[in-house]
Amino acid sequence: MQLQLIRNATLRLDFAGKTLLYDPMLGPAGSLPSYAGVAANPLVDLPREPGAVLRGVDGVILTHLHGDHFDEAARERLPRDLPVLAQPEDAPQLRDWGFTNVLALEDAALWQGLEVRRLPARHGSSPGVLADMGPVSGFFLRAEGEPGLYLSGDTIWYPELEAALKALEPNVAVTHSGGAVWGEERELILMDHAQTAAACRALPASFFVAVHLEALDHCTTTRARLRRTLEAACPGRFAVPEDGETITIA
């Protein structure tokens, strides 16, 4: 399996003979509004031009439809007949945008020859923030000869998610670890360095790949801080890739 971080949460995954695009945000720096009143988002440009990111893609995985995970640039460029895996809550909007091959995953299914399972996610903790954020999903992928792969989506670390992952025992866990905050109370809406470390300790057989870092103005965790924290919590079992970096996992 190969995993290339493009920017923020956007990944190209080479998995079981398929090339999958995960949570594509393809617009230039500054093409989205500020989330924290600091700067327009994203804060950085793509490391590759959008056409190169899309070349050879067999399918798209969407955890939710926030602009930093599926922006207008991605919607405009993706072929409308490309297979899309999404949570059921987002399928009507995707079809309204003209996508004709959407699998709305309720629980588990075969998709593109892969076993895929929908997992819980919680994009915040208080009722008000959860209502602002709306539904989000994580996904677990399995295929013969490949490591079991968890894709977290935007979520905090919480007991129900921990229990679900301990039951599945993923070999690789991709976490959104930028410590984004929301609202006047600056409530945490996805894992930060401390929560990612807690997840890594809870899943001692998993290799962690932390993304969703240093691209948005409401993310508070830096790559440097996360690396220091994970080196103390689970040395040798993590990667914090730079934009454009590819990781190969046997």
Side-chain angles (χ1 to χ4, degrees):
M1 183 184 77
Q2 283 195 330
L3 175 158
Q4 184 183 36
L5 174 62
I6 304 302
R7 178 185 58 188
N8 196 45
T10 304
L11 303 170
R12 276 179 61 103
L13 301 169
D14 290 328
F15 189 85
K18 302 287 186 181
T19 298
L20 305 173
L21 188 62
Y22 173 74
D23 278 2
M25 174 179 64
L26 302 181
S31 57
L32 294 174
S34 169
Y35 301 139
V38 176
N41 290 301
L43 303 177
V44 295
D45 277 316
L46 292 170
R48 308 171 63 185
E49 58 94 12
V53 175
L54 295 174
R55 191 169 299 126
V57 166
D58 298 303
V60 177
I61 299 173
L62 298 176
T63 63
H64 61 308
L65 299 183
H66 288 175
D68 60 316
H69 294 262
F70 193 48
D71 65 353
E72 184 177 358
R75 294 198 301 272
E76 289 178 349
R77 286 178 171 270
L78 287 172
R80 290 301 185 260
D81 61 349
L82 194 67
V84 177
L85 175 69
Q87 58 184 357
E89 296 88 342
D90 294 337
Q93 179 64 78
L94 290 165
R95 292 178 179 127
D96 284 347
W97 283 331
F99 292 94
T100 60
N101 194 358
V102 178
L103 173 61
L105 187 65
E106 291 279 0
D107 180 25
L110 283 174
W111 179 74
Q112 296 292 291
L114 312 175
E115 298 177 39
V116 293
R117 179 175 297 276
R118 184 186 183 195
L119 290 176
R122 187 175 291 171
H123 205 351
S125 55
S126 71
V129 168
L130 288 171
D132 286 347
M133 295 297 104
V136 180
S137 295
F139 296 105
F140 180 73
L141 279 62
R142 193 190 301 275
E144 185 175 354
E146 294 283 10
L149 174 63
Y150 167 58
L151 301 166
S152 76
D154 279 359
T155 187
I156 59 171
W157 183 245
Y158 63 104
E160 292 85 353
L161 176 58
E162 180 176 348
L165 289 173
K166 283 183 173 178
L168 289 170
E169 297 184 330
N171 304 103
V172 179
V174 175
T175 56
H176 296 190
S177 298
V181 295
W182 189 256
E184 293 183 0
E185 301 299 320
R186 293 177 60 81
E187 182 175 317
L188 193 68
I189 58 173
L190 52 85
M191 294 184 215
D192 60 3
H193 62 290
Q195 289 198 356
T196 306
C200 201
R201 287 191 294 265
L203 300 171
S206 300
F207 183 83
F208 275 68
V209 181
V211 301
H212 206 307
L213 292 151
E214 298 181 351
L216 303 174
D217 73 335
H218 67 330
C219 287
T220 62
T221 298
T222 65
R223 286 183 170 98
R225 186 178 192 186
L226 183 59
R227 287 176 181 133
R228 290 194 302 269
T229 303
L230 293 181
E231 188 57 43
C234 47
R237 285 199 296 115
F238 72 90
V240 184
E242 299 292 331
D243 292 355
E245 183 177 347
T246 298
I247 295 170
T248 300
I249 300 171

